[in-house]
Amino acid sequence: MEKVVIFGATGSVGAYTAMHLKNAGYDVYAVGRRKSDNNFFSKNGMTYISCDIKTIACFVSLPKNIDYIVHLAGAMPAHMANYDPYEYLNSVIVGTLNVLEYARENHCKKIIFSQSIADILHLFGTQHPILDDVVREFPLKGDHAVYSISKNTAVNLIEHYYAEYGIKRYILRLPTIYHYHPNPYYYVNGEKKWLAYRYIIDQASKGMPLQIWGNPNATKEMVYIKDLTHLIECCILSNVDGGIYNVGCGHPLSIEEQIKQIAVCFAGNTISSIEYKPDMPSSPQFILDIEKAKKELGYNPQYTFDKLLLDFKSEMECEPFSQLWGLKSDYYE
């Protein structure tokens, strides 16, 4: 049985990926910074190891002679209550170097890495799909600046280890990945806020009016977590050496279409009315070209937005990761 080590396994993408790969027949080692996973992974037939990737000494507790690494660990703006640029440098750059050294020493065949979409923010607003191998940049201002610099540097390190040591690399450029987590909040420049789509779902469930800000026709990618976990498995199975791949849904939707479908799917006794606010800021528009991932990796996204919403609603009701993350009642204010 092939060994997969998942760094960042207690996070949203990490936990869903661990479950997907375990069900696909891999020997999964879940690695997270948390001291305890509350026995979630062992209950599901996996091994959990507490390890902060910033600390090279903790890697001695990890398995030897591994086949694949899924690297999802590192600080993120959405989870940072108080801005600390050193946390990005240490967890994303130093942490990735530590992961790569671990991969080299243990004869790892491939590494799969989550890249921030902030590297192509300079191309947002176009009607044309953004290609995978465009010039990577970073925003000069805001809480994503040092984060994006760090992620770009991590990608460069991974490319070096591919060229020098032959570790195949699959850099997945992630937009927002839609999934159910009991915590509906995130941080923007250190300020706690509702995730926009979670707030809209909450309001729709109460029958409250929903607002569409700015241009209702602004289009964006709506990628579901279970399409991403499918793509991660495609990377493991692929015979190509990898590269940078956009992660898109194949059917981006306008803000208006999104909100209308949410209003219907999450309606209680009353379907919410919709109010248009053209003078408010528009959602950033972007479409990702995913032909490269389709052709080279066999990526075939299955979740249309209506199917995404139905599965999200089911996950919200059954809370399959409550042992790991807690319940929604633990987070709502």
Side-chain angles (χ1 to χ4, degrees):
M1 188 181 294
E2 292 183 306
K3 294 180 185 177
V4 181
V5 177
I6 301 175
F7 292 95
T10 60
S12 301
V13 174
Y16 273 97
T17 300
M19 290 296 293
H20 178 93
L21 294 180
K22 173 61 181 177
N23 291 334
Y26 293 93
D27 185 10
V28 175
Y29 292 81
V31 180
R33 191 171 60 174
R34 284 172 43 168
K35 294 298 182 184
S36 171
D37 68 327
N38 200 29
N39 296 319
F40 171 81
F41 291 104
S42 61
K43 179 183 176 182
N44 288 284
M46 294 172 276
T47 300
Y48 179 70
I49 303 167
S50 177
C51 175
D52 187 338
I53 63 171
K54 299 193 298 290
T55 307
I56 191 66
C58 77
F59 282 75
V60 298
S61 62
L62 303 187
K64 310 301 181 185
N65 299 316
I66 58 175
D67 295 290
Y68 312 108
I69 285 174
V70 181
H71 179 16
L72 307 168
M76 297 176 61
H79 299 156
M80 189 175 285
N82 298 298
Y83 178 68
D84 180 3
Y86 289 97
E87 183 63 18
Y88 294 131
L89 298 175
N90 290 327
S91 69
V92 179
I93 298 177
V94 175
T96 297
L97 181 58
N98 289 340
V99 168
L100 287 165
E101 275 296 284
Y102 167 69
R104 180 185 63 81
E105 292 171 357
N106 287 279
H107 316 291
C108 180
K109 303 171 188 174
K110 300 179 179 181
I111 183 168
I112 299 157
F113 179 72
S114 58
Q115 165 67 322
S116 168
I117 200 169
D119 73 335
I120 58 167
L121 285 179
H122 61 289
L123 299 174
F124 277 27
T126 178
Q127 298 282 345
H128 303 290
I130 301 169
L131 297 174
D132 310 71
D133 296 303
V134 294
V135 174
R136 288 184 284 120
E137 295 189 5
F138 59 90
L140 294 174
K141 294 182 178 181
D143 63 351
H144 277 64
V146 175
Y147 170 65
S148 184
I149 291 167
S150 300
K151 295 291 273 190
N152 283 347
T153 302
V155 170
N156 293 341
L157 285 170
I158 292 168
E159 290 288 1
H160 164 59
Y161 272 70
Y162 163 67
E164 188 74 19
Y165 304 111
I167 301 172
K168 295 181 180 181
R169 77 288 186 233
Y170 301 78
I171 313 298
L172 304 183
R173 179 181 286 122
L174 305 185
T176 298
I177 302 299
Y178 293 86
H179 63 281
Y180 175 70
H181 190 289
N183 183 5
Y185 304 105
Y186 76 132
Y187 291 91
V188 178
N189 292 315
E191 182 182 352
K192 188 177 182 179
K193 295 186 176 184
W194 273 87
L195 285 159
Y197 73 95
R198 294 297 299 272
Y199 181 75
I200 294 168
I201 288 172
D202 181 76
Q203 295 297 289
S205 68
K206 298 173 181 175
M208 301 296 290
L210 306 180
Q211 295 183 351
I212 297 177
W213 286 16
N215 177 13
N217 297 314
T219 302
K220 64 184 295 187
E221 297 286 344
M222 308 298 294
V223 181
Y224 193 45
I225 185 70
K226 293 180 181 178
D227 276 333
L228 174 57
T229 58
H230 156 67
L231 176 55
I232 289 172
E233 185 183 4
C234 287
C235 293
I236 289 175
L237 296 172
S238 173
N239 292 320
V240 301
D241 283 7
I244 295 180
Y245 300 94
N246 288 331
V247 181
C249 64
H251 40 78
L253 286 179
S254 71
I255 301 301
E256 184 176 46
E257 291 171 321
Q258 294 169 37
I259 291 182
K260 284 182 176 180
Q261 289 193 41
I262 289 172
V264 172
C265 183
F266 289 91
N269 295 326
T270 305
I271 297 179
S272 296
S273 61
I274 295 177
E275 301 174 352
Y276 291 82
K277 300 288 184 178
D279 296 332
M280 299 299 288
S282 292
S283 177
Q285 170 158 311
F286 66 95
I287 303 170
L288 300 176
D289 189 296
I290 61 171
E291 290 306 310
K292 182 179 176 184
K294 287 182 174 181
K295 180 179 179 180
E296 295 188 6
L297 306 178
Y299 177 47
N300 182 27
Q302 297 295 305
Y303 283 84
T304 56
F305 192 58
D306 58 341
K307 187 177 178 182
L308 179 162
L309 292 177
L310 288 173
D311 198 72
F312 184 102
K313 188 175 184 180
S314 174
E315 302 269 287
M316 179 183 286
E317 291 168 353
C318 68
E319 301 206 72
F321 294 93
S322 60
Q323 185 176 348
L324 180 64
W325 297 333
L327 299 166
K328 51 181 171 282
S329 57
D330 298 324
Y331 295 91
Y332 275 74
E333 298 176 351

